[in-house]
Amino acid sequence: MHNFKFALNASTLFPFELDVIEQIRIAAEAGYDGIELWVKDIESYLDKGGSLKTIKEILVDKSISVVNAITFFKWSDVHEPTRVKGLVEAEKEMTMLKEIGCKAVAAPPSGNMDDLTLETIAEHFTALTTIARRMDMEIFLEFWGKANKLATLSEAMYIAMESGLSDVKFLLDPFHMYTGGSCFTNLAYLNQRNIGIFHVNDYPEHPPKEQITDSERQFPGDGIAPTEQIANYLVEMNYQGYLSLELFIGNYGNQSALEVATHGLKKMKQTYLPNK
């Protein structure tokens, strides 16, 4: 019996230009257990007169959780003042996120890491994690397939080991594994405690991975990703966390936001649940 929970990354709804309240309502109505919000959307809502209290109230009312937040503070950067500023920004954003009940934030390679060693990036990750844990927040280490550093699961695993932290959690994403050349068989080296959240998506055979962009991500099951293999690894490791649909499709034609969200959840369940 599967123990997956299902979340919607707000990026999937970006073409509809919804505010965070509407994003939450759509995710809840479509039947998701959780939602990943983008900090830029939260800040935009606050700038227009909204409040964190209202966001928290709608989350409670709709019985849905913010399971992770997407943001791009530069926690590791070759320019030390930039990195320090990034840590200050991270603490500020995590303070805001805690107020709406979010307890995790993604840490992708958003700074200039090109000339840094993996060992130095590991030190920077430890510094960020220390701040987060002091605030009772979790950091999910994320790799980007097209990044020059921290582009593969292997690099992320090495950074985790060199960090000195015993319980690092990764944000995993089939699209980034594909574009960065990560081997999907490497998932066998992880256990369920290593995964903070698993992004769900697919990708076509063309254009090739060297040219493909985020906008060409597809719903799970519509492309060439080894989805069944991935699902089997997650089941075998008894992963009980969130699968989160993260797409960047620019236009869904005549479909409504609710129709897109509902279709996405259906596709996730069809492709990731065993014995479907």
Side-chain angles (χ1 to χ4, degrees):
M1 183 66 180
H2 80 91
N3 292 297
F4 298 146
K5 292 175 283 188
F6 296 94
L8 178 67
N9 189 304
S11 68
T12 304
L13 302 179
F14 280 175
F16 301 101
E17 300 182 350
L18 308 176
D19 67 23
V20 289
I21 300 299
E22 293 169 319
Q23 291 170 355
I24 293 166
R25 285 177 175 151
I26 291 294
E29 188 172 349
Y32 289 87
D33 306 295
I35 186 169
E36 290 183 280
L37 293 178
W38 286 53
V39 168
K40 70 177 184 64
D41 289 341
I42 298 174
E43 292 176 336
S44 175
Y45 174 73
L46 297 178
D47 289 343
K48 294 175 182 177
S51 70
L52 295 175
K53 181 175 181 289
T54 301
I55 297 175
K56 182 64 179 294
E57 287 174 347
I58 192 69
L59 289 164
V60 172
D61 180 63
K62 297 298 182 180
S63 300
I64 191 169
S65 302
V66 182
V67 297
N68 182 42
I70 308 300
T71 186
F72 306 103
F73 50 76
K74 296 178 180 179
W75 58 275
S76 184
D77 195 281
V78 68
H79 184 236
E80 184 63 10
T82 298
R83 183 182 76 89
V84 171
K85 181 180 178 181
L87 294 180
V88 171
E89 182 181 345
E91 185 166 1
K92 177 183 176 182
E93 291 181 357
M94 286 189 285
T95 299
M96 176 181 68
L97 291 168
K98 278 197 69 174
E99 288 195 43
I100 62 172
C102 178
K103 294 185 176 181
V105 64
S110 51
N112 180 3
M113 302 180 179
D114 293 5
D115 294 326
L116 297 177
T117 64
L118 294 180
E119 289 81 3
T120 297
I121 296 172
E123 292 174 5
H124 293 171
F125 183 72
T126 301
L128 173 63
T129 302
T130 299
I131 294 171
R133 291 183 177 176
R134 188 174 68 236
M135 303 174 66
D136 194 29
M137 293 283 289
E138 287 195 287
I139 298 293
F140 297 157
L141 182 60
E142 180 180 11
F143 55 94
W144 284 345
K146 292 184 179 292
N148 291 323
K149 282 283 176 70
L150 189 47
T152 65
L153 175 57
S154 297
E155 286 185 321
M157 292 172 69
Y158 183 83
I159 289 167
M161 288 187 290
E162 290 297 311
S163 71
L165 304 168
S166 61
D167 51 356
V168 173
K169 291 181 172 62
F170 303 111
L171 190 162
L172 302 178
D173 186 312
F175 181 84
H176 288 305
M177 294 187 72
Y178 172 65
T179 56
S182 294
C183 295
F184 286 96
T185 53
N186 287 353
L187 292 172
Y189 289 91
L190 303 178
N191 61 54
Q192 56 95 8
R193 295 188 304 276
N194 298 127
I195 303 177
I197 196 166
F198 198 100
H199 282 175
V200 171
N201 49 64
D202 210 324
Y203 42 83
E205 183 174 2
H206 300 289
K209 64 183 179 181
E210 294 80 14
Q211 299 172 13
I212 199 169
T213 64
D214 277 312
S215 65
E216 288 157 313
R217 293 183 185 214
Q218 297 177 323
F219 286 96
D222 289 353
I224 63 169
T227 304
E228 184 175 354
Q229 178 188 23
I230 295 168
N232 286 338
Y233 279 128
L234 295 176
V235 171
E236 288 171 6
M237 72 176 70
N238 194 31
Y239 176 61
Q240 300 180 35
Y242 284 92
L243 303 179
S244 185
L245 182 69
E246 186 186 50
L247 302 177
F248 294 91
I249 295 172
N251 190 324
Y252 294 102
N254 294 324
Q255 294 183 87
S256 68
L258 180 58
E259 288 171 335
V260 167
T262 302
H263 177 68
L265 181 57
K266 179 181 178 181
K267 293 289 287 185
M268 282 205 290
K269 290 182 176 180
Q270 286 177 340
T271 53
Y272 275 84
L273 297 186
N275 303 317
K276 54 183 182 292

